[in-house]
Amino acid sequence: MRNKHFKNLLCLTVSAIMAMGLSATAFAKEADVVTVPMGEVYYYDSPQPFSMEEPEINDHLLFSVEDIAEMTEVEFAKALEENTPLDSKEIEQIVSYYNSDDFKQGIAPMYGIYDHPEWQITPYKKERQKWCAYATSWIGIDAYRSGVGITKGYTETKDVSTTLGYKGSKEIEKYIGSFSAETTTTYTTTVNESAFCEPWNTINWRPYIAFWKDIYYGRIKITTIIPTGSGVYENVWYEDQEGEENIKILETTEAWSRENTARDLYAPTPLPPTTAPII
């Protein structure tokens, strides 16, 4: 019975305050964060001609065992040097194998394959677009139906977070060498207890973070040399590499207000937008 009496008293108190037009607007404390692209996408040209962006994948025999048998060790080493990306130590290993008892006995080479990666399309910034992380809910003060204005009365905060820095291909990260590490950044909007709203007005605030999203692209050409019992093979294949870097433009608080010009005690309080801020 006592709880029911208290609930009725609370309802009457809230109704009385609303009738006088005095209320502090307190939207959801936890920010509903939305991250969206904004504006046009800027595209950048590849550092290599477009025709080079069409990879030719092949797997073929470079030197048959018959070819190798007709060459001296020096000639074979020279042929490997001229036709493959192998270094001197790798060439020495392959030449030694084809002149070893292991090869004559049909035993596979100790060193199976030799991968040699190189950039077929060096990493470059492929595109850029502005993005924004913002709160769809606001914190504020409502004196829209009040002729005397209202003070906030208590401190309220709202956070918005987003991820900045680089993520993606380690090869691109190594090549560029100047990316900042991926990290989460948070911006907080605070409305303190002494904040005042003018009579017949409502005012609201929310945080947002604007940033550039840069997309990077590159293609690695990998030449694999494979010594086998039937000869030396070459396999060429490609790996597309992509990464993105988010770079902060600004973090700030957006303010939104409306005035009850008609001084109407029954006018509903306008609600602030849930769409992205204008940047």
Side-chain angles (χ1 to χ4, degrees):
M1 189 72 182
R2 183 179 177 183
N3 290 338
K4 183 177 180 181
H5 175 74
F6 176 77
K7 187 182 293 185
N8 291 337
L9 179 61
L10 180 61
C11 292
L12 289 172
T13 304
V14 171
S15 299
I17 291 175
M18 293 300 294
M20 291 187 294
L22 300 176
S23 66
T25 304
F27 296 97
K29 183 174 178 57
E30 297 79 14
D32 301 317
V33 179
V34 175
T35 303
V36 295
M38 303 183 69
E40 63 181 305
V41 180
Y42 300 94
Y43 296 97
Y44 301 86
D45 293 331
S46 166
Q48 275 75 35
F50 183 79
S51 60
M52 290 184 64
E53 295 194 14
E54 297 301 322
E56 296 181 3
I57 301 175
N58 59 73
D59 185 358
H60 63 279
L61 181 65
L62 277 180
F63 303 103
S64 68
V65 290
E66 292 77 17
D67 295 331
I68 297 169
E70 292 176 358
M71 292 185 280
T72 66
E73 290 187 25
V74 173
E75 289 172 337
F76 185 32
K78 184 67 174 177
L80 288 171
E81 181 183 358
E82 291 176 349
N83 292 277
T84 72
L86 295 168
D87 61 35
S88 58
K89 183 177 180 180
E90 293 167 336
I91 289 173
E92 182 182 346
Q93 291 170 353
I94 292 177
V95 171
S96 296
Y97 168 70
Y98 286 101
N99 289 275
S100 69
D101 290 336
D102 283 354
F103 170 65
K104 295 173 184 176
Q105 296 171 16
I107 300 173
M110 183 184 303
Y111 306 97
I113 61 173
Y114 299 84
D115 283 337
H116 280 264
E118 60 180 320
W119 287 108
Q120 193 243 358
I121 300 175
T122 55
Y124 69 101
K125 187 190 298 183
K126 183 180 180 181
E127 60 187 68
R128 158 174 278 200
Q129 187 176 24
K130 187 182 294 181
W131 283 64
C132 183
Y134 66 94
T136 58
S137 56
W138 302 63
I139 52 178
I141 313 171
D142 181 9
Y144 200 71
R145 291 170 297 280
S146 168
V148 296
I150 188 172
T151 299
K152 180 68 174 174
Y154 62 96
T155 298
E156 191 173 9
T157 62
K158 184 169 289 294
D159 298 335
V160 64
S161 298
T162 194
T163 302
L164 300 177
Y166 176 82
K167 66 178 179 180
S169 164
K170 295 298 181 184
E171 297 300 326
I172 290 180
E173 183 177 15
K174 188 188 307 180
Y175 181 87
I176 300 295
S178 59
F179 292 131
S180 57
E182 184 180 20
T183 184
T184 298
T185 185
T186 300
Y187 180 74
T188 303
T189 289
T190 301
V191 180
N192 62 45
E193 61 184 8
S194 61
F196 180 74
C197 182
E198 295 291 335
W200 307 109
N201 279 267
T202 180
I203 184 167
N204 302 273
W205 299 268
R206 66 172 174 177
Y208 71 86
I209 302 172
F211 59 93
W212 291 113
K213 182 184 292 291
D214 292 344
I215 303 298
Y216 286 82
Y217 173 79
R219 176 181 287 144
I220 295 177
K221 174 185 177 182
I222 302 169
T223 302
T224 303
I225 304 300
I226 313 165
T228 72
S230 59
V232 178
Y233 286 82
E234 177 187 65
N235 182 26
V236 179
W237 48 292
Y238 297 81
E239 283 186 355
D240 289 329
Q241 305 287 316
E242 189 167 277
E244 69 176 49
E245 183 185 27
N246 294 338
I247 306 168
K248 183 171 67 179
I249 300 172
L250 70 118
E251 52 183 21
T252 190
T253 296
E254 180 184 14
W256 183 93
S257 63
R258 289 294 183 271
E259 181 182 1
N260 183 352
T261 55
R263 305 299 190 258
D264 183 356
L265 288 173
Y266 299 97
T269 302
L271 296 177
T274 57
T275 52
I278 298 173
I279 301 175

